[in-house]
Amino acid sequence: MGNLSIKKMEQTVKKAGSDLGNATNTIINNTVSDIRNILSNLGDCASAIDNIRLRATHRAIQYHTSVARILKETEVYPVELIERIYNSIADLLKIPDSEVEIRLYHLINPGPAVWESQPRDMQVIDPDTISLPQDRVPFVFIHGVENQGETDAFEFYKKFEKSVWMYNHNVPGVDYSSVDIYIVSYDAKISNENQQIIKSAFESAGVIVDGDAPGMFAAVMWKEWVRRARLTSDKIMPFLNKMKYLPHNYRGLAVTHSLGCEVMANAGHRLIENDPDLEPAFIRWWCMAAALPSDAFSNTGLYPSAPRIAMNYPLEKPGTTVWFSASDSLLSTLYFIANDHFAMGQTGAHMIDQYAHYINHDVTLCVLEAHMTDTYFPRLGTTIRKYLGTQIWSEDPNSDCALEDIFRRD
C-alpha cells in the first residue's frame, strides 16, 4: 500500500466494483433468458419466470458477496486501511452534537415549486410542538449522503417528484392535495476541513495523495455520518410518535434513501421497543437503497422492530418494503469498504421467517448500478408511478416485481 496513490486506489476500486456489478447483471439476465427459452419450448410456463428471476438474483448475490470478500483479502478493496485511518482521526472528524445541523421542513408548495419554478416555501417545523391535522396525509422524505441544508433537502424531494408526478397536473384523476410533504435534513457532507484531515491521514499512512478521491474520503467519513444520522433519529422521534394518533387511512408514506434509512430504522426501532403496542406511524415505508447492514431487521440485527413502524391498513400486511439492487455500485464498494459487511440495499433484508414485518423488492434489473438519486429515481419512475397511480398512460414497470397500491381506503 505504501507506494499506492489515492487516485489510483479510487480508480481501481471503481473499476472492480463496476466489473463485478456487470458480471452480476450478466448472471441474472443470462440465467433468466436461458430458462425463458427452455420454457417457451415446453409450453406456457411464463408464470414461473418471476420465481426463476428471484432465484437467479439470489445466486448472483452469493457470487457478488463471495467476490467482494476476495477483493478485500487481496486489498483491492482497502477495508483495513480505511478502518485504520478512520480510527486515527475519528475524534477530529466528530463535531459536537449541538453543531450537527438537523431540520424538519414542511414543503408548503410542492407542485408549484417543482413544476412551475416558483420559489419553494420551506417552513422549519419543531418536532416537539407540531400538531398534525387529522385530515391530512403526511409523506416524509429522508435523504442520504452528500446532502445538507434546505437546498439539498428540496433537491432530494424534487428528484423524486420529477420522476413520479404526484403534483403534475397533466395526470388526469390524480389528487394529492390532501398530502403534506415533510423533508428531514441533516449534515451528511464532507466539509473542506474534514477533507484536509482525511488527506493528511492518508499521507501519514504512506498513501500518495495525488488528487481528490471522493469515494475513499467518503468511506473514511462514513461512520461519522452514521453518528449524525442517529442524532437525527433522536430529533424526529417526537414527530413520528405523533403519527400514531392519526386515523388509519390518513397515515402516509415514508421514503428514505441510502443513509436516510438509518435515520428511520433507528427511530422506528426505538419507538416500537419503548412501546410494543405502538400504532404504526405509516401505511408504507419505502426503504430504498438502504445503507444498513443486511441483517439489520433480523432478530439479532440492529433494528429488528423498525419495520413495524409501517402497516398496510386495511390489509394488515407488512407496510415496510426494502428496495434493493444486487448491482448497486456505491453500496458494493464504498459502503462495504467502510463497514466490512454487506448492505441491505444490495442484498435485501435477511428473511428470518414467514412472519417478517417487511417484504423485499428486487429492482436490480431496473436500477442496475445506480445509487445516487439523479439516476436512481428516474430509473424507478414508471414503477413508482404505477404504485402512486400517477402514470399518464398504461405503463409496465421497469422491474418485474409489483407492489400493491400505496393506499386502499375502501
Side-chain angles (χ1 to χ4, degrees), residues 42-326:
L42 296 178
D44 185 15
C45 299
S47 61
I49 290 296
D50 276 348
N51 288 332
I52 292 168
R53 184 190 56 78
L54 185 61
R55 293 188 66 178
T57 300
H58 288 169
R59 186 65 57 85
I61 289 172
Q62 292 175 351
Y63 161 81
H64 196 134
T65 53
S66 297
V67 174
R69 287 294 181 196
I70 294 172
L71 292 174
K72 173 197 170 182
E73 292 170 2
T74 56
E75 298 187 4
V76 173
Y77 281 3
V79 176
E80 294 181 359
L81 173 65
I82 295 298
E83 182 179 12
R84 188 165 71 250
I85 288 176
Y86 170 75
N87 289 336
S88 71
I89 59 174
D91 291 340
L92 298 176
L93 298 177
K94 184 177 180 179
I95 59 177
D97 294 358
S98 60
E99 295 181 13
V100 177
E101 182 181 323
I102 301 170
R103 296 286 187 274
L104 172 62
Y105 294 102
H106 181 193
L107 178 58
I108 304 299
N109 61 338
V114 172
W115 296 105
E116 300 170 24
S117 300
Q118 290 186 13
R120 62 180 182 267
D121 185 357
M122 301 268 283
Q123 295 187 4
V124 178
I125 301 300
D126 186 338
D128 294 309
T129 62
I130 183 176
S131 178
L132 291 170
Q134 297 293 295
D135 59 349
R136 305 283 296 173
V137 182
F139 277 26
V140 179
F141 294 81
I142 310 179
H143 63 69
V145 297
E146 292 303 316
N147 291 281
Q148 177 186 2
E150 179 182 328
T151 298
D152 288 349
F154 173 73
E155 288 298 321
F156 171 72
Y157 169 74
K158 181 178 178 180
K159 293 168 189 173
F160 182 86
E161 171 62 26
K162 279 287 190 178
S163 299
V164 307
W165 308 342
M166 287 191 296
Y167 295 97
N168 183 345
H169 296 297
N170 293 324
V171 182
V174 173
D175 183 10
Y176 280 89
S177 61
S178 64
V179 169
D180 283 330
I181 302 296
Y182 297 96
I183 311 173
V184 178
S185 173
Y186 59 102
D187 185 350
K189 277 190 173 180
I190 300 180
S191 66
N192 291 334
E193 180 182 357
N194 283 339
Q195 277 200 16
Q196 293 305 315
I197 292 171
I198 294 171
K199 286 181 179 180
S200 296
F202 271 109
E203 289 174 338
S204 297
V207 177
I208 301 171
V209 180
D210 53 351
D212 286 336
M216 296 300 99
F217 296 162
V220 174
M221 194 71 190
W222 193 271
K223 291 184 176 65
E224 169 60 14
W225 282 335
V226 171
R227 187 187 71 86
R228 298 178 190 180
R230 291 172 180 171
L231 290 174
T232 307
S233 298
D234 295 340
K235 183 77 172 179
I236 68 170
M237 279 181 67
F239 172 65
L240 299 179
N241 191 50
K242 291 175 183 180
M243 292 185 185
K244 69 182 181 182
Y245 298 109
L246 293 173
H248 287 162
N249 60 339
Y250 284 94
R251 296 178 195 176
L253 169 69
V255 176
T256 63
H257 178 263
S258 190
L259 190 61
C261 300
E262 171 76 39
V263 177
M264 182 61 73
N266 185 290
H269 172 76
R270 288 188 289 151
L271 283 171
I272 299 296
E273 289 292 297
N274 292 341
D275 181 5
D277 296 324
L278 181 74
E279 287 277 328
F282 300 97
I283 290 176
R284 285 283 189 188
W285 171 22
W286 289 352
C287 184
M288 308 178 87
L292 286 167
S294 293
D295 66 348
F297 292 165
S298 72
N299 293 337
T300 57
L302 288 174
Y303 307 123
S305 295
R308 291 172 55 199
I309 200 67
M311 176 63 73
N312 187 8
Y313 287 103
L315 304 178
E316 296 187 355
K317 292 182 179 180
T320 293
T321 303
V322 176
W323 302 56
F324 75 96
S325 170

Side-chain angles (χ1 to χ4, degrees), residues 331-343:
L331 296 179
S332 63
T333 53
L334 189 158
Y335 180 89
F336 179 81
I337 292 169
N339 297 281
D340 196 17
H341 58 245
F342 297 99

